[in-house]
Amino acid sequence: MFTPAITATGVYVPPHTITNDELVVAFNAYADRVNAENAEAIAAGTLEAIPHSSSEFILKASGIESRYVMDKEGVLDPARMYPRLRQRSDDEPGIMAEMGVAACKTALGKAGRSGDEVDLVICAASNMERAYPAIAVEIQKLIGARGFAFDMNVACSSATFGIQAAADMIRAGSVRRALVVNPEITSGHLEWRDRDCHFIFGDVATATLIERREDAAHGFEIRSIRCATEFSNNIRNNNGFLRRNRPDGMADRRDMQFMQEGRKVFKEVLPMVSAHILHHLGDDGIDAGALKRLWLHQANKTMNDFIGRKVLGRDPEGNEQPNILQEFANTSSAGSIIAFDRFSDDLAPGDLGLICSFGAGYSVGSVIVERF
Ligand code: COA
């Protein structure tokens, strides 16, 4: 058996930013437009007017200040309200592969490795731009990796579940070096016309390089990983390959985008995640006080504050539980990896930390790491 270690991460940041104020101006223009079109029905009381959104609400309810997107103009066009992405030919790299490759190259560069030293690529994300061939196989080709590659989807927990799959294969010796890649174009499945959630997501891609510890001079040894799932409909997206076969399947339906019961998610996921982390630490004989850092899923600041308090038994201090959601919003599976990428260099050999993701499924994944 070999010991797996995270030896580098990479983040690809999309070219455009949308601030809360910009988003709210576009949403309110959209609402005014739809309300004007339906003025008669609204006056007759047969239709409710769409209320305005507000930057103050967004910041207070979520902690989010801005988000990155692959296309800004389409999202902010009140007559459209979703990204405008160029049609690519089948002979050029897909957009997810392109974002993923950029993140992979950064991670490989940091570790001083080349693509041909990698023998497993897992593309783990909350949506894939096509059914097949796997995006991971395209990334494998573009970076010149050997071995094999596959896609997997566990929504917001895709990164930690992907890390578990890769780390277990490295532990067993079936692969030597793996990249877990998380290209998230959440702007493509967010319903920008829904005031309750139009502010929550952003685009990004992350990559995590996992090697045998003995192959690297420094990094983070993976002490253990714990994944869990429990079925819930409270975060759901019904889009899929059977769409055209169903009555009204091709209509502009709300359920073809991300849907959530935000309050229920809050109430049900928080205790699930806190208990999951505490059990994971307990089973490994690690006192929560020994953790130098928590790199949590980045969905909501209040959620993270709650989990930090529950796990540590007190308010987290300074950088103990860093957030990046104020800049990136919720980037689905990539959030905890961006936090790890940005806030892990200062840890000293022997320091312990925990990466944790959670979301649709429900799903939760935690990775205990030790700096070396
Ligand atoms: N602007 C202004 N007001 C808004 C608004 C907006 N954009 N969106 C909702 N509101 C209003 C609502 O109408 C409601 O008004 P009411 O009290 O008069 O009915 C009020 O604000 C509270 O709405 P609510 O939806 O209960 O807000 P919330 O405090 O639950 O915050 C989320 C919303 C989405 C930020 C929060 O539920 C959340 O983060 N949930 C979990 C998210 C998560 O982890 N999801 C996983 C995705 S992977």
Side-chain angles (χ1 to χ4, degrees):
M1 296 286 258
F2 301 93
T3 302
I6 296 174
T7 56
T9 49
V11 178
Y12 163 78
V13 179
H16 309 286
T17 322
I18 301 179
T19 64
N20 288 347
D21 285 347
E22 288 176 301
L23 192 67
V24 165
V25 166
F27 181 89
N28 292 349
Y30 158 77
D32 292 345
R33 192 186 162 96
V34 174
N35 291 341
E37 278 165 16
N38 295 294
E40 267 179 43
I42 292 168
T46 53
L47 193 74
E48 275 192 33
I50 304 174
H52 276 186
S53 182
S54 104
S55 295
E56 296 71 39
F57 170 85
I58 295 171
L59 185 62
K60 192 161 161 281
S62 68
I64 295 164
E65 295 169 26
S66 62
R67 69 282 298 140
Y68 294 97
V69 286
M70 295 304 286
D71 173 65
K72 177 170 180 170
E73 177 266 326
V75 169
L76 296 186
D77 177 355
R80 184 178 171 93
M81 303 290 279
Y82 50 91
R84 196 182 303 278
L85 302 178
R86 161 178 91 74
Q87 181 65 54
R88 297 180 179 216
S89 92
D90 291 353
D91 297 323
E92 58 183 324
I95 186 169
M96 284 185 70
E98 195 170 272
M99 293 165 70
V101 164
C104 288
K105 284 188 173 164
T106 303
L108 289 168
K110 281 192 204 167
R113 296 284 176 203
S114 57
D116 64 1
E117 293 177 281
V118 172
D119 51 8
L120 167 65
V121 177
I122 299 177
C123 180
S126 56
N127 262 297
M128 298 298 164
E129 72 174 292
R130 61 168 182 267
Y132 42 80
I135 313 293
V137 180
E138 192 181 7
I139 295 173
Q140 175 196 17
K141 178 184 168 223
L142 291 167
I143 64 170
R146 297 171 289 119
F148 63 102
F150 60 88
D151 289 350
M152 58 184 278
N153 175 356
V154 201
C156 288
S157 294
S158 298
T160 50
F161 280 55
I163 288 171
Q164 169 159 60
D168 282 356
M169 282 189 250
I170 287 170
R171 217 182 284 282
S174 56
V175 303
R176 184 158 193 141
R177 194 165 289 115
L179 274 166
V180 178
V181 197
N182 319 108
E184 291 286 5
I185 311 181
T186 61
S187 61
H189 52 100
L190 173 58
E191 182 48 90
W192 298 92
R193 298 169 295 185
D194 184 340
R195 173 178 175 261
D196 289 343
C197 67
H198 75 116
F199 52 88
I200 71 177
F201 282 128
D203 300 339
V204 83
T206 52
T208 305
L209 181 65
I210 306 170
E211 306 184 66
R212 289 181 186 169
R213 185 192 156 139
E214 69 197 47
D215 284 349
H218 48 79
F220 287 83
E221 177 183 320
I222 296 177
R223 293 266 300 246
S224 66
I225 306 176
R226 176 77 55 89
C227 296
T229 48
E230 201 179 298
F231 188 72
S232 166
N233 272 323
N234 288 332
I235 312 172
R236 191 170 170 119
N237 182 332
N238 282 333
N239 203 351
F241 81 105
L242 293 177
R243 185 169 181 178
R244 73 164 186 175
N245 303 284
R246 296 193 165 126
D248 290 331
M250 299 309 284
D252 181 11
R253 280 168 41 176
R254 176 65 189 87
D255 67 330
M256 293 299 148
Q257 282 71 246
F258 165 89
M259 300 183 293
Q260 77 163 350
E261 295 283 347
R263 285 272 148 160
K264 285 191 188 158
V265 172
F266 227 102
K267 258 178 58 188
E268 293 171 8
V269 166
L270 283 181
M272 179 183 173
V273 171
S274 311
H276 176 95
I277 294 175
L278 288 169
H279 280 135
H280 185 183
L281 291 170
D283 287 351
D284 277 23
I286 295 172
D287 185 76
L291 288 179
K292 283 280 179 304
R293 198 143 300 167
L294 294 166
W295 300 281
L296 298 179
H297 175 50
Q298 301 285 313
N300 182 293
K301 182 176 181 305
T302 311
M303 263 176 136
N304 284 3
D305 290 347
F306 179 96
I307 295 167
R309 256 198 314 276
K310 202 83 182 156
V311 169
L312 299 176
R314 57 172 170 78
D315 284 334
E317 290 165 13
N319 267 347
E320 274 185 323
Q321 179 225 282
N323 285 326
I324 54 86
L325 59 85
Q326 61 279 15
E327 177 186 347
F328 285 87
N330 181 348
T331 49
S332 194
S333 67
S336 55
I337 305 301
I338 307 173
F340 177 81
D341 181 89
R342 295 267 166 106
F343 295 95
S344 55
D345 281 353
D346 59 315
L347 264 58
D351 282 351
L352 293 174
L354 180 134
I355 302 170
C356 181
S357 65
F358 45 88
Y362 295 134
S363 56
V364 49
S366 50
V367 185
I368 298 174
V369 294
E370 179 179 338
R371 179 91 205 217
F372 66 94

